[in-house]
Amino acid sequence: MQDQENQPSQNPEAVEPVEAQATPADAAPAMSDLEAQLSATEAKLAEMHDAFMRAKAEGENIRRRAQEDVAKAHKFAVESFAEAMVPVKDSLEMALKVENPTLESLKEGVEMTLKQLNSAFERNRLVEVMPAAGDKLDPNKHQAVAMVPAEQEANTVVAVLQKGYMIADRLLRPAIVTAAQPK
């Protein structure tokens, strides 16, 4: 019987591998490490979520501010031009208040008012489109209302019936012209 106690058992189910035998003392540090990793990951997740929410809120604030800026720009876009036009209106009203205007004073007043108007146009980048006779017809700036026989090259400006205007690089109104017809 003593020999059986000293000899290892032949039953493979009775033998447990050394790695599989875990004592409660060995399991505690492993669980503690996993719990520490989990809590660190949860803290990092909370930090990332907070950063994401802040970034999202900042994006919304930027979008809202941009919308407000665009709304203000639309609302007050004409302000600069209106400021430039007020003196022109004042001059016209003063001209109407004159009791006995002479032809010479009316002409002088209209010329001064026209200078004020031209100055207002320049400050606000409102430019005349006034092609010269013989200039090539530009459909981006000119509108031909008639083709007339002429001694000049075809599709060139013969006469300007009405000036056009541009604001900066944008056409406000095309110049109304007659163009030379092909021979």
Side-chain angles (χ1 to χ4, degrees):
M1 183 92 174
Q2 250 181 344
D3 287 339
Q4 284 180 348
E5 289 176 8
N6 290 339
Q7 287 184 352
S9 167
Q10 296 297 330
N11 187 351
E13 293 174 6
V15 175
E16 293 183 23
V18 175
E19 294 91 17
Q21 295 177 351
T23 62
D26 291 339
M31 286 300 265
S32 163
D33 287 346
L34 288 175
E35 288 174 356
Q37 284 179 343
L38 178 61
S39 63
T41 304
E42 286 176 343
K44 186 149 184 110
L45 175 65
E47 181 183 324
M48 292 295 194
H49 180 70
D50 184 54
F52 168 75
M53 294 306 285
R54 288 178 188 272
K56 184 177 176 184
E58 182 64 24
E60 286 295 316
N61 287 340
I62 289 170
R63 185 189 58 76
R64 182 185 45 79
R65 276 188 238 120
Q67 283 179 334
E68 288 173 0
D69 289 346
V70 167
K72 285 179 184 175
H74 284 129
K75 186 175 181 180
F76 298 110
V78 75
E79 183 177 14
S80 172
F81 189 67
E83 286 176 354
M85 296 305 294
V86 168
V88 175
K89 183 179 186 291
D90 291 343
S91 294
L92 291 171
E93 287 173 345
M94 286 174 52
L96 291 173
K97 286 182 181 179
V98 175
E99 297 256 344
N100 296 320
T102 64
L103 186 59
E104 187 67 29
S105 68
L106 281 177
K107 185 174 189 241
E108 185 179 322
V110 169
E111 287 173 350
M112 288 175 56
T113 304
L114 183 58
K115 283 181 186 178
Q116 285 178 325
L117 186 61
N118 285 333
S119 174
F121 281 9
E122 285 176 23
R123 279 193 305 249
N124 290 282
R125 301 182 304 161
L126 185 62
V127 180
E128 287 183 355
V129 176
M130 184 67 177
D135 285 353
K136 187 81 174 151
L137 187 67
D138 182 355
N140 296 319
K141 294 181 181 178
H142 312 139
Q143 181 179 354
V145 293
M147 299 290 279
V148 294
E151 294 299 315
Q152 61 197 44
E153 189 178 328
N155 295 324
T156 56
V157 175
V158 174
V160 177
L161 305 175
Q162 186 179 54
K163 295 178 189 176
Y165 290 93
M166 294 182 71
I167 297 177
D169 294 332
R170 193 176 195 178
L171 187 66
L172 180 63
R173 179 179 83 186
I176 307 296
V177 299
T178 57
Q181 69 185 31
K183 295 179 185 178

